[in-house]
Amino acid sequence: MDQQNQNQSCHYDKLMEFFYNNSKDQSKTGDSWDKTQLILVQVVGCLFCCFILFSNAMVITAVITNRRFHFPFYYLLSNLAASDFLAGIAYVYLMLNTGDVSRKLTVSGYFFRQGLLDISLSASLSNLLVIALERYVSIMSFKVHSNLTKRRVTLLIFLVWAISILMGAVPSMGWNCICSLDTCSKLAPLFSRSYVIFWSVSNLVMFLIMVAIYIRIYMYVKKKTVGMKQHTNNSLNRKKTPIKLIKTVMVVLGAFVICWTPGLLVLLVDGVCQSCKVTKFKRWLLLMAVANSVMNPCIYSYKDQEMWRTIKNLMQCICNGTRRQRSLRANTRHLHSGQETGNSPLPSEGNEE
């Protein structure tokens, strides 16, 4: 009777250790972190996250500064980079609040930690779906870029983030197991299994929709390019330009599906099977998620030569700016030292090469 009353009462005042202990497969003896392993994961994870933050910031800056990227496709691509940037922040926060530290989190602290991850994943997935639709509209008319106005692109970006924030906030808004402990997930001890099933199934369905869209695009493009050999090389290159953009997005989508499908399937198993031991896969699934955010900016720069050139120019500007600042500081110190000793250089000497 006491156990039944405990399961039916709410536990908003409890720390996460209470919920981890409630999840039988996540007891301290079941899936505890070795201290050395935890430190290694945190150090390597934070290094990856630094790369994620820097590289995606460079992609966003490249789109802003290069007028050749001022088209709907690249605006949406930069928004995808922004979602990866948020993922980098979420991973850093997760790395600093995992292991034994996670057991000391409050309910609101855990919801905030998981909410950041869920928002970044939802934003990435929504962006990929919007990009797929944009590519479909442009390729059906066999154009490099669609005719979407900046106002419509801005609206799409706003909708992506609004939906993502809503999805990340749903568990904290009530779809959780705080008042019904017997429905808790093992992988996410505050989330109810029904929500975990909904989350995994909805994302898998979106994967299938995007794959279907790109299969349709590929078949259409292949049919259209059958008679291209009779055109000049310049014309052929112009025709290949939209195909290159499709290949870039298809590689990004493929990496996303490969990195996230195992995690979604494990979440689905966790939701439908109470006796299955799934927590041993948790850290490896997190590693795959981090790897996906590391891969995306590399794919952009590798598949798009103009993007890579722009990023290289930005890095050179940063390096040159840093050198100029160091040189300016050195000259200032030298000038100040000369003034103190009464040996300051003449104006004509300062301009000599």
Side-chain angles (χ1 to χ4, degrees):
M1 179 66 71
D2 291 340
Q3 182 67 30
Q4 184 177 0
N5 291 334
Q6 186 182 38
N7 288 339
Q8 292 178 349
S9 59
C10 297
H11 306 278
Y12 289 97
D13 58 333
K14 301 290 186 181
L15 295 179
M16 282 307 301
E17 185 167 10
F18 172 82
F19 296 97
Y20 280 117
N21 291 335
N22 174 69
S23 180
K24 298 180 179 61
D25 196 31
Q26 288 200 8
S27 63
K28 287 188 177 181
T29 58
D31 191 42
S32 59
W33 287 84
D34 176 77
K35 182 170 288 188
T36 304
Q37 184 186 46
L38 177 61
I39 293 174
L40 180 63
V41 168
Q42 287 177 328
V43 171
V44 175
C46 286
L47 289 175
F48 279 145
C49 290
C50 289
F51 176 80
I52 291 170
L53 295 174
F54 176 78
S55 57
N56 283 289
M58 294 299 289
V59 170
I60 296 170
T61 306
V63 173
I64 294 173
T65 58
N66 191 335
R67 293 184 63 86
R68 295 183 181 181
F69 295 146
H70 291 185
F71 293 98
F73 171 79
Y74 287 105
Y75 291 143
L76 297 174
L77 194 67
S78 67
N79 197 42
L80 180 59
S83 64
D84 282 328
F85 187 89
L86 176 62
I89 296 174
Y91 294 143
V92 170
Y93 190 80
L94 177 62
M95 295 294 175
L96 298 176
N97 291 277
T98 191
D100 291 336
V101 179
S102 64
R103 294 178 172 272
K104 299 176 183 178
L105 291 175
T106 61
V107 169
S108 58
Y110 182 85
F111 277 137
F112 179 77
R113 191 190 79 171
Q114 296 303 119
L116 283 178
L117 290 171
D118 292 347
I119 291 171
S120 63
L121 172 61
S122 297
S124 296
L125 194 56
S126 300
N127 271 305
L128 285 171
L129 180 59
V130 171
I131 290 173
L133 294 173
E134 190 274 341
R135 288 293 84 198
Y136 182 83
V137 171
S138 61
I139 295 302
M140 287 300 113
S141 56
F142 221 72
K143 295 180 180 178
V144 178
H145 298 288
S146 64
N147 293 324
L148 286 173
T149 62
K150 288 186 178 181
R151 183 177 180 181
R152 290 181 179 178
V153 173
T154 303
L155 179 60
L156 286 173
I157 292 173
F158 175 80
L159 287 175
V160 163
W161 286 104
I163 293 171
S164 302
I165 292 171
L166 177 63
M167 290 294 291
V170 164
S172 62
M173 294 168 62
W175 200 347
N176 55 59
C177 63
I178 296 177
C179 300
S180 182
L181 297 180
D182 56 337
T183 64
C184 287
S185 161
K186 294 185 180 68
L187 288 175
L190 287 187
F191 292 6
S192 63
R193 289 194 300 273
S194 60
Y195 175 77
V196 169
I197 294 172
F198 162 76
W199 173 262
S200 55
V201 170
S202 60
N203 287 332
L204 288 170
V205 168
M206 288 183 70
F207 282 174
L208 292 175
I209 292 173
M210 286 187 287
V211 170
I213 290 174
Y214 280 111
I215 289 175
R216 175 73 181 93
I217 291 174
Y218 176 78
M219 293 175 64
Y220 179 82
V221 171
K222 190 174 181 180
K223 181 180 178 181
K224 277 285 186 179
T225 54
V226 170
M228 279 188 179
K229 292 183 180 180
Q230 60 186 358
H231 297 289
T232 63
N233 290 333
N234 290 334
S235 177
L236 188 60
N237 288 332
R238 284 196 300 270
K239 297 293 185 181
K240 285 184 177 179
T241 303
I243 301 174
K244 291 179 181 178
L245 296 181
I246 292 174
K247 288 181 178 179
T248 299
V249 183
M250 288 182 72
V251 173
V252 172
L253 176 61
F256 194 88
V257 170
I258 291 171
C259 291
W260 280 101
T261 299
L264 293 174
L265 291 175
V266 170
L267 272 176
L268 184 59
V269 171
D270 182 35
V272 299
C273 178
Q274 298 184 40
S275 60
C276 295
K277 295 184 178 182
V278 293
T279 54
K280 60 183 178 180
F281 302 109
K282 190 173 184 178
R283 63 194 64 172
W284 305 112
L285 298 176
L286 175 62
L287 181 61
M288 292 181 69
V290 174
N292 178 244
S293 294
V294 170
M295 291 164 60
N296 280 348
C298 299
I299 295 171
Y300 307 149
S301 57
Y302 175 74
K303 300 295 290 184
D304 193 320
Q305 294 180 357
E306 182 67 25
M307 178 68 73
W308 174 234
R309 280 195 295 268
T310 305
I311 291 176
K312 279 201 302 184
N313 291 336
L314 287 171
M315 289 191 290
Q316 287 174 358
C317 288
I318 293 172
C319 293
N320 291 336
T322 304
R323 289 195 198 101
R324 270 192 231 104
Q325 290 172 357
R326 287 200 299 265
S327 178
L328 182 60
R329 285 196 296 266
N331 290 335
T332 303
R333 285 196 298 268
H334 178 69
L335 180 61
H336 182 67
S337 176
Q339 288 175 344
E340 287 181 346
T341 59
N343 296 321
S344 58
L346 295 173
S348 58
E349 294 174 345
N351 294 327
E352 289 180 357
E353 293 295 333

